[in-house]
């Protein structure tokens, strides 16, 4: 269990999920998708290398986006 928690806290993955969840909850899943790719493009531009693209961060952003978008739909439909 400790390995999973350490993996989750690495590279602020919990912030990726939480940030996209809150954004998608407030504005819909489209905002979460935009933030998902914007944060990764920012990372690539900062590192000046395409190898900085992190699919795990994209996955965490996607999880937050799906959960937030689902809650948004259930609340505001």
């Amino acid at each position: 269990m400790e390995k999973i928690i350490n993996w989750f806290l690495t590279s602020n993955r919990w912030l990726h999920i939480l940030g996209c969840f809150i954004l998608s909850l407030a504005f819909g899943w489209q905002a979460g998708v935009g933030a998902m790719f914007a944060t990764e493009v920012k990372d690539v531009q900062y590192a000046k290398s395409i190898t900085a693209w992190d699919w795990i961060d994209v996955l965490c952003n996607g999880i937050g986006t799906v959960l937030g978008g689902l809650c948004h739909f259930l609340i505001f439909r």
Side-chain angles (χ1 to χ4, degrees):
M1 186 69 171
E2 186 177 330
K3 284 178 105 177
I4 294 171
I5 292 171
N6 286 337
W7 176 85
F8 190 64
L9 295 176
T10 303
S11 181
N12 297 325
R13 291 185 176 117
W14 66 275
L15 283 175
H16 287 270
I17 293 173
L18 182 65
C20 281
F21 175 80
I22 292 170
L23 191 64
S24 296
L25 179 63
F27 300 109
W29 65 269
Q30 298 93 339
V33 170
M36 176 186 343
F37 290 111
T39 56
E40 287 308 308
V41 168
K42 172 204 53 97
D43 289 345
V44 168
Q45 288 178 341
Y46 180 77
K48 294 184 171 85
S49 172
I50 193 66
T51 59
W53 189 274
D54 188 0
W55 285 107
I56 295 174
D57 285 349
V58 172
L59 177 66
C60 291
N61 286 333
I63 291 168
T65 297
V66 168
L67 294 175
L70 182 63
C71 291
H72 178 84
F73 175 75
L74 293 174
I75 293 169
F76 296 110
R77 67 175 152 152

